[in-house]
Amino acid sequence: MIKKERPSWDRYFMDIANVVSTRSNCSRRQVAAVIVKDQRIISTGYNGTPRGVKNCNEGGCPRCADHDTPSGHNLSECLCSHAEENSITQAAYHGIAVKDATLYTTYSPCLMCAKMIINAGIKEVVYDKHYSIDDISTALLKEAGVIIRTVDGEAEV
């Protein structure tokens, strides 16, 4: 009998985040976040328009509708909530505390999400891919004492 190697907790939760990202209705990028406490998922979120608003893939977001907008541009036109934001607000909506939790996200957080992570009391962020406009957010997370590292365990310097 061949013994199957189990994934690490980090890989397990990141794989779940990657599946959650498939629910995103954003036509530009699918991102997800999973909040974990004591090795238990307490909330998930993916990027997309707020509740009750037409989805991106249905023309609900003007930035998503303009497929020629380069990454990082015209962000003020975007109506989407970010995955990290949605995972934190979903927990709040259902009365679940996220203090001292770990947030797994498919992309490293932007500045707005970094501020939400800090203020929510999340102690650690584990990400899969580096988002190109997040250098300030990484520095802010570090300054606030939030551990930030890749899913492969590499700490941000």
Side-chain angles (χ1 to χ4, degrees):
M1 183 168 144
I2 298 173
K3 186 176 179 179
K4 183 179 175 190
E5 188 174 321
R6 295 170 70 191
S8 69
W9 283 112
D10 282 348
R11 179 46 53 200
Y12 172 73
F13 291 123
M14 190 60 69
D15 287 350
I16 291 171
N18 279 301
V19 171
V20 172
S21 75
T22 65
R23 287 285 306 152
S24 170
N25 56 53
C26 181
S27 57
R28 297 179 65 87
R29 184 185 317 250
Q30 286 65 53
V31 182
V34 173
I35 301 177
V36 174
K37 195 167 187 180
D38 300 324
Q39 307 299 330
R40 188 177 68 105
I41 296 170
I42 59 173
S43 187
T44 65
Y46 49 86
N47 61 323
T49 54
R51 276 188 184 97
V53 175
K54 190 187 302 184
N55 290 325
C56 289
N57 57 0
E58 300 166 332
C61 178
R63 184 168 181 271
C64 287
D66 181 5
H67 297 293
D68 294 331
T69 303
S71 182
H73 290 77
N74 299 341
L75 295 175
S76 63
E77 293 179 4
C78 184
L79 301 183
C80 293
S81 296
H82 291 186
E84 301 91 335
E85 175 185 6
N86 277 332
S87 65
I88 292 167
T89 58
Q90 270 298 101
Y93 185 84
H94 294 286
I96 300 167
V98 298
K99 185 176 185 285
D100 296 327
T102 298
L103 184 143
Y104 289 85
T105 181
T106 54
Y107 283 87
S108 53
C110 71
L111 182 58
M112 178 193 70
C113 289
K115 293 185 285 187
M116 291 184 78
I117 289 164
I118 293 164
N119 285 338
I122 292 172
K123 68 176 180 180
E124 183 177 26
V125 173
V126 180
Y127 68 90
D128 198 11
K129 298 174 191 88
H130 184 79
Y131 187 47
S132 60
I133 62 170
D134 77 341
D135 294 334
I136 295 170
S137 61
T138 299
L140 188 66
L141 288 165
K142 286 183 201 172
E143 181 180 341
V146 176
I147 298 164
I148 182 164
R149 62 185 176 83
T150 66
V151 69
D152 298 322
E154 296 176 26
E156 283 284 337
V157 203

